[in-house]
Amino acid sequence: MKDGGGLPEAAERLLDDLTEHYIVERRESKEALEPDASPVRVIRLIPHTPAAGPLAVAFTEPSGVVLRLGRWYEERVRAGLAQDPAEAIAELESRVEAHVEGGLWERVRRGVTGSWQETRLVGADCDLGGRALLEPAEARSARREGFAAPVQWAPWPRRNLVVAA
């Protein structure tokens, strides 16, 4: 890690690298992550291939980020007393690399008590999964969009970079 570079700065560099090497649209906005919360800066990268999942990074104060991948995957990454900043940066990079390479699966499951979403992120340095209950309207919407069967997001399309000799 370079001097003066914390987790938010590393996330910014990572987003710049992804924008340079992949065919994506970059959007920046201010959004509240929770109701009644103050808006924070959010950068979204949306691949030009619809089968490839989007990525968003929300910059929270003072030294954290919220990483969103695909439709449901969300993880708060924070460097602080409990974690070395270099470890937090490596964690962020491993999740993003797994997603960009096509390692995110998502689906909706229907049960007796309701529906829930399931996610699985698999990459060289990570194997993570999770699930959460969905509101009925969100579950119906997700099933209409094809998430009743497992959806594996495609790898991101690369730019054809020409290297000068």
Side-chain angles (χ1 to χ4, degrees), residues 36-60:
D36 300 325
S38 297
V40 297
R41 181 172 169 238
V42 177
I43 296 177
R44 275 191 176 67
L45 300 182
I46 303 159
H48 283 212
T49 301
L55 173 151
V57 174
F59 294 86
T60 59

Side-chain angles (χ1 to χ4, degrees), residues 122-134:
V122 178
D125 295 322
C126 69
D127 187 350
L128 306 165
R131 60 192 265 181
L133 286 172
L134 290 173

Side-chain angles (χ1 to χ4, degrees), residues 8-66:
E9 293 82 5
E12 189 81 52
R13 286 190 304 272
L14 181 58
L15 290 165
D16 290 344
D17 287 346
L18 291 169
T19 303
E20 181 180 336
H21 292 97
Y22 294 91
I23 304 171
V24 295
E25 179 180 337
R26 183 177 177 137
R27 296 181 189 167
E28 188 167 337
S29 62
K30 288 270 195 180
E31 299 174 24
L33 299 181
E34 298 173 13
D36 300 325
S38 297
V40 297
R41 181 172 169 238
V42 177
I43 296 177
R44 275 191 176 67
L45 300 182
I46 303 159
H48 283 212
T49 301
L55 173 151
V57 174
F59 294 86
T60 59
E61 295 300 326
S63 62
V65 299
V66 175

